Amino acid sequence: MQKRTITIKDIAEKAGMSCSLVSFVLNGKSVQYKVNPDTTKKVLAAAKALNYKPNLAAQSLRSGKTKTIGVILSDISNPFFAEIARSIEDIASKRGYTVVFGSSDENPDKLKNLISSLSARGIDGFIIVPSENSEKTIKSLAKEKAPIVLLDRKINSLKLSSVVLNNFEASKKATELLIKRGFKDIELFSYNLKISNILERDSGYETQMKASKLDKYIKINKISYDKLSTEFEDVVLGALKSKKGKKAFLFATNSICLNALKILHKHGYKVPQDVSILSFDYSDIFDFYSEGLAYLEQPISGFGEAAANLLFDNLNGGSPSIKTISLDATLHIKNI
Amino acid sequence: MQKRTITIKDIAEKAGMSCSLVSFVLNGKSVQYKVNPDTTKKVLAAAKALNYKPNLAAQSLRSGKTKTIGVILSDISNPFFAEIARSIEDIASKRGYTVVFGSSDENPDKLKNLISSLSARGIDGFIIVPSENSEKTIKSLAKEKAPIVLLDRKINSLKLSSVVLNNFEASKKATELLIKRGFKDIELFSYNLKISNILERDSGYETQMKASKLDKYIKINKISYDKLSTEFEDVVLGALKSKKGKKAFLFATNSICLNALKILHKHGYKVPQDVSILSFDYSDIFDFYSEGLAYLEQPISGFGEAAANLLFDNLNGGSPSIKTISLDATLHIKNI
DNA sequence: CTGAAAGCGCTTACAG
DNA sequence: CTGAAAGCGCTTACAG
């Protein structure tokens, strides 16, 4: 039943030569070590005949590399991060790497625990969505050897590669659209998290409002990440009551928008009669609104791909080039 | 900078004893090997002082175990599977295991590739959502030593543990509800996949329709998994036109339901005036329907937890008990 | 061009 | 109760 596992030694015996040769050939170093072409062929044939699979543990022990990358997201059950996870997974598996995921739930302590347990496993490189207050943790990780790519948010004080949305521009562009459509009373709903993407979305909105001389309309509702479901209803209803002319809501994240739409529906408010909507990210629900709604589509798979490629470049090339890749959002307008 | 990695030898030196003792203590075998309590304390102290982290690769090489489990889902970017992934992840990390995910996209070839690449990495155990036609692949995997738990679908011909929904009962119960509410013209929309969950949902519907003498109303629309977006519209519109009295749609999966709801909305059909809806799984969109809609909630995290626990029982206990765990769905009714 | 051998870090029979 | 040593499977200087 449990056929003994095939090692390099078995191949060496079958092909009638030493383990060294087998290893050279199997690692594609035939040329480098000037292995006789016949020898090379024999090894390859024997390996195939025996259905040889290298023992990763042994390779890791020898090389100090695990061919595994660690990816820490906010929450892999959130569709945004699930899609990123999928795209990283696809690229990594093509490169022969395994991916290990962890979810921080925006909690710096969990992030720290995840990093230390992944780090203990000997991970070759990390892709990290940094939660707030995670600067120190990531800084100390960066001191070890493994390369790191930050995703979705950057930390300016750390010299690390990162892949992010051009959040400021996206948010500014969205605000500008609303203003062009004649809205003045535009409220932003955003999380009370000190992470770069959120802060830049706030800032893009504020900047455009000021540029359009709408300073007195500026209102940023900061929602606590944990309490989205409980306290949020009052905030939304309050905003609707303080109407000054045509009203629009700008949502810094899709989850906030979804919750707001549910509240609107529950209380009988209509889009666009009572308020128009501009959100980050697409949701199935948007297909049920034929007007008064627009959204900024992020290149989600693009994030995963860019981050994975950046990491692999650092992993293999060794050239520790620090890059910030900034991708643009696409504004989709539904008759707003 | 790059502080040399701490090994068991460093601890042995610091504590002034042999590597054997250190290993015994660190593996909690002090009692078994009757290690002197003082020795035990010294080792623990030294390990802590040095901030020792065991080298997983070396442990794996010695033990043949990797402390890693492989989880193959249909698609980790699908919310249903993302939630399962998360719950497995949480349990595994508590047990000190790492999880590696793969997505088969319901494609038996991809499943096979995933299994062989995971298997080559030396995975301790598998949780697999079997795609159709994956019986042979899984059977041959089962012949190797690693324990397997099937998830979401079972394969009766294989003697393997599995965690599934009681699909037949759920579907039957849903159909029964519709009939009780006066519906006769109930159409089922289901995937054209030969996997147990789908087939049992079909069967539950059919059984209840027959039991209620509604044989002539039975209609199962089998949709091809790949072509949900293209050909589906005609199917839905066709079904709406062939109305015989009050009409209800029963959806075997949430993705089919979502697509159908979008089509209804696009063509101006109303719920419940034109048709009532009963779907598997919750979706945010359901909150926007205040009547004519019901859904079966699956215990999604429960699937992940049960599967993980089952796998770990097999991994540690060694008792290769084959169990099928069948969980029940909860019917949520919105004024249907 | 090829082989013998060391060593990655760990665990565990085997002596004592 | 404790230490010396073998060996997991692999890679790679080192000889030849």
Side-chain angles (χ1 to χ4, degrees):
Chain A
M1 184 85 73
Q2 199 153 309
K3 15 174 181 174
R4 205 177 53 75
T5 128
I6 303 299
T7 75
I8 230 172
K9 210 175 150 197
D10 298 312
I11 302 179
E13 272 168 22
K14 178 159 180 131
M17 59 189 65
S18 75
C19 296
S20 317
L21 267 329
V22 177
S23 176
F24 293 155
V25 173
L26 259 26
N27 288 304
K29 300 192 173 165
S30 287
V31 177
Q32 183 186 332
Y33 286 95
K34 298 180 189 160
V35 177
N36 187 312
D38 271 1
T39 310
T40 301
K41 268 183 217 153
K42 269 194 230 162
V43 169
L44 261 17
K48 190 158 188 184
L50 260 25
N51 187 28
Y52 170 73
K53 312 266 182 188
N55 179 314
L56 275 289
Q59 287 181 323
S60 295
L61 182 57
R62 237 344 274 256
S63 66
K65 299 290 167 201
T66 54
K67 285 273 189 177
T68 301
I69 64 172
V71 177
I72 300 180
L73 309 163
S74 296
D75 177 8
I76 201 171
S77 66
N78 171 325
F80 176 81
F81 293 110
E83 190 175 337
I84 287 180
R86 180 67 203 270
S87 62
I88 294 176
E89 170 72 44
D90 286 347
I91 289 189
S93 80
K94 266 183 214 144
R95 300 240 196 176
Y97 276 75
T98 298
V99 188
V100 174
F101 294 100
S103 300
S104 75
D105 292 322
E106 301 292 353
N107 178 335
D109 293 329
K110 276 198 195 172
L111 185 79
K112 194 172 177 177
N113 287 338
L114 280 167
I115 284 183
S116 79
S117 84
L118 289 182
S119 186
R121 285 197 86 83
I123 293 283
D124 291 347
F126 289 87
I127 294 175
I128 300 175
V129 175
S131 72
E132 58 175 5
N133 302 321
S134 61
E135 190 178 326
K136 251 193 292 178
T137 306
I138 294 173
K139 190 170 184 172
S140 70
L141 176 66
K143 277 192 191 147
E144 302 179 14
K145 70 281 154 182
I148 303 172
V149 174
L150 298 183
L151 184 55
D152 191 39
R153 307 144 192 194
K154 55 192 168 187
I155 300 185
N156 287 322
S157 61
L158 300 179
K159 288 272 163 268
L160 292 174
S161 287
S162 41
V163 176
V164 293
L165 190 77
N166 191 337
N167 286 291
F168 178 84
E169 273 308 321
S171 183
K172 190 165 175 296
K173 181 165 67 176
T175 309
E176 190 186 8
L177 170 74
L178 290 171
I179 295 172
K180 270 192 193 153
R181 292 290 197 267
F183 291 94
K184 289 187 173 113
D185 183 4
I186 303 167
E187 288 197 27
L188 173 66
F189 293 79
S190 170
Y191 277 126
N192 189 17
L193 293 173
K194 284 183 214 70
I195 49 181
S196 69
N197 55 348
I198 293 294
L199 296 175
E200 286 172 21
R201 290 172 195 184
D202 292 359
S203 163
Y205 158 78
E206 213 172 331
T207 302
Q208 184 59 54
M209 291 294 274
K210 282 183 183 159
S212 302
K213 314 284 181 213
L214 295 175
D215 302 56
K216 65 172 183 175
Y217 288 97
I218 292 175
K219 174 125 190 246
I220 303 185
N221 300 281
K222 285 290 212 174
I223 297 124
S224 128
Y225 183 75
D226 304 321
K227 295 181 185 153
L228 181 52
S229 39
T230 55
E231 297 178 350
F232 185 49
E233 187 156 334
D234 296 337
V235 178
V236 173
L237 297 177
L240 283 165
K241 271 162 199 151
S242 71
K243 229 177 148 175
K244 318 169 192 159
K246 274 173 74 179
K247 182 135 207 151
F249 285 169
L250 175 59
F251 294 100
T253 82
N254 198 259
S255 49
I256 304 179
C257 178
L258 279 197
N259 276 280
L261 289 177
K262 287 182 189 176
I263 291 166
L264 294 181
H265 179 262
K266 178 176 160 192
H267 291 273
Y269 290 101
K270 297 291 182 203
V271 175
Q273 292 83 343
D274 295 300
V275 63
S276 289
I277 303 293
L278 210 160
S279 176
F280 272 75
D281 299 315
Y282 166 79
S283 160
D284 281 318
I285 289 181
F286 295 170
D287 285 354
F288 292 80
Y289 291 82
S290 30
E291 48 181 335
L293 191 145
Y295 63 93
L296 290 153
E297 184 193 8
Q298 301 192 59
I300 306 183
S301 307
F303 285 155
E305 285 161 23
N309 286 327
L310 215 51
L311 185 66
F312 285 123
D313 288 351
N314 279 333
L315 236 41
N316 303 325
S319 69
S321 59
I322 308 293
K323 276 191 223 173
T324 295
I325 295 183
S326 189
L327 303 176
D328 288 324
T330 309
L331 187 51
H332 293 269
I333 303 172
K334 291 199 159 188
N335 200 20
I336 203 170
Chain B
M1 184 85 75
Q2 200 153 306
K3 15 174 182 174
R4 206 174 51 74
T5 129
I6 303 298
T7 76
I8 230 171
K9 209 175 151 197
D10 298 312
I11 302 180
E13 271 169 23
K14 178 161 178 128
M17 58 188 65
S18 74
C19 296
S20 318
L21 266 329
V22 177
S23 177
F24 294 156
V25 173
L26 260 24
N27 289 304
K29 298 192 176 164
S30 287
V31 177
Q32 183 185 332
Y33 285 97
K34 299 182 191 160
V35 177
N36 187 313
D38 270 0
T39 310
T40 301
K41 269 181 216 155
K42 271 194 230 163
V43 170
L44 261 18
K48 191 160 188 185
L50 262 23
N51 188 26
Y52 171 73
K53 313 266 181 186
N55 179 314
L56 275 290
Q59 288 181 323
S60 296
L61 182 57
R62 239 342 277 257
S63 66
K65 299 291 169 199
T66 54
K67 287 274 191 176
T68 300
I69 63 172
V71 177
I72 300 180
L73 308 164
S74 297
D75 177 8
I76 202 173
S77 67
N78 171 324
F80 176 81
F81 293 111
E83 189 175 337
I84 287 180
R86 180 68 202 269
S87 62
I88 294 176
E89 170 73 44
D90 286 346
I91 290 189
S93 80
K94 267 183 213 144
R95 300 240 196 177
Y97 276 75
T98 298
V99 187
V100 175
F101 294 99
S103 300
S104 76
D105 292 323
E106 300 293 352
N107 178 333
D109 293 329
K110 277 197 195 175
L111 185 80
K112 194 172 179 179
N113 286 339
L114 279 168
I115 284 183
S116 78
S117 83
L118 288 182
S119 186
R121 285 197 85 82
I123 292 283
D124 291 346
F126 288 88
I127 295 175
I128 300 175
V129 175
S131 72
E132 59 175 4
N133 302 322
S134 60
E135 190 176 329
K136 250 192 293 176
T137 306
I138 294 173
K139 191 170 185 173
S140 71
L141 176 66
K143 277 190 191 150
E144 303 180 12
K145 70 282 152 178
I148 303 172
V149 174
L150 299 182
L151 185 55
D152 191 40
R153 307 145 192 193
K154 55 193 169 187
I155 300 184
N156 287 323
S157 60
L158 300 179
K159 288 272 163 266
L160 293 173
S161 287
S162 41
V163 176
V164 292
L165 190 78
N166 191 336
N167 286 291
F168 178 84
E169 274 308 322
S171 181
K172 190 165 176 295
K173 181 165 68 174
T175 309
E176 190 186 8
L177 169 74
L178 290 170
I179 296 171
K180 270 191 191 153
R181 292 290 196 268
F183 291 95
K184 288 185 172 117
D185 182 4
I186 303 167
E187 289 198 26
L188 174 66
F189 293 79
S190 171
Y191 277 127
N192 189 17
L193 293 173
K194 285 184 213 68
I195 48 182
S196 71
N197 55 347
I198 293 294
L199 296 175
E200 285 173 22
R201 290 172 195 185
D202 292 358
S203 163
Y205 157 79
E206 211 172 334
T207 303
Q208 183 59 52
M209 291 294 274
K210 282 183 183 157
S212 301
K213 313 283 179 216
L214 295 175
D215 302 56
K216 66 172 180 174
Y217 288 97
I218 292 174
K219 174 123 191 251
I220 303 185
N221 302 281
K222 285 291 213 174
I223 297 124
S224 129
Y225 182 75
D226 304 321
K227 297 183 186 152
L228 180 52
S229 40
T230 55
E231 297 179 351
F232 186 48
E233 186 156 335
D234 295 338
V235 178
V236 172
L237 296 177
L240 283 165
K241 271 162 199 154
S242 72
K243 230 177 146 174
K244 317 168 193 159
K246 271 172 76 178
K247 182 135 207 150
F249 285 169
L250 176 58
F251 294 100
T253 81
N254 198 260
S255 49
I256 305 179
C257 178
L258 279 198
N259 276 280
L261 289 177
K262 287 182 189 176
I263 292 167
L264 295 181
H265 179 262
K266 177 177 162 190
H267 291 272
Y269 289 102
K270 297 289 180 202
V271 176
Q273 292 84 342
D274 296 300
V275 61
S276 289
I277 303 293
L278 211 159
S279 176
F280 272 74
D281 299 315
Y282 166 78
S283 160
D284 281 316
I285 290 182
F286 295 169
D287 285 354
F288 293 80
Y289 291 82
S290 32
E291 49 181 335
L293 190 145
Y295 63 92
L296 291 153
E297 184 194 7
Q298 301 192 58
I300 306 183
S301 306
F303 285 156
E305 285 160 23
N309 286 327
L310 215 52
L311 185 65
F312 285 122
D313 288 352
N314 280 333
L315 235 40
N316 303 324
S319 69
S321 59
I322 307 293
K323 275 189 221 173
T324 296
I325 295 182
S326 189
L327 303 176
D328 287 325
T330 310
L331 188 51
H332 294 269
I333 304 172
K334 290 200 159 188
N335 200 20
I336 203 169

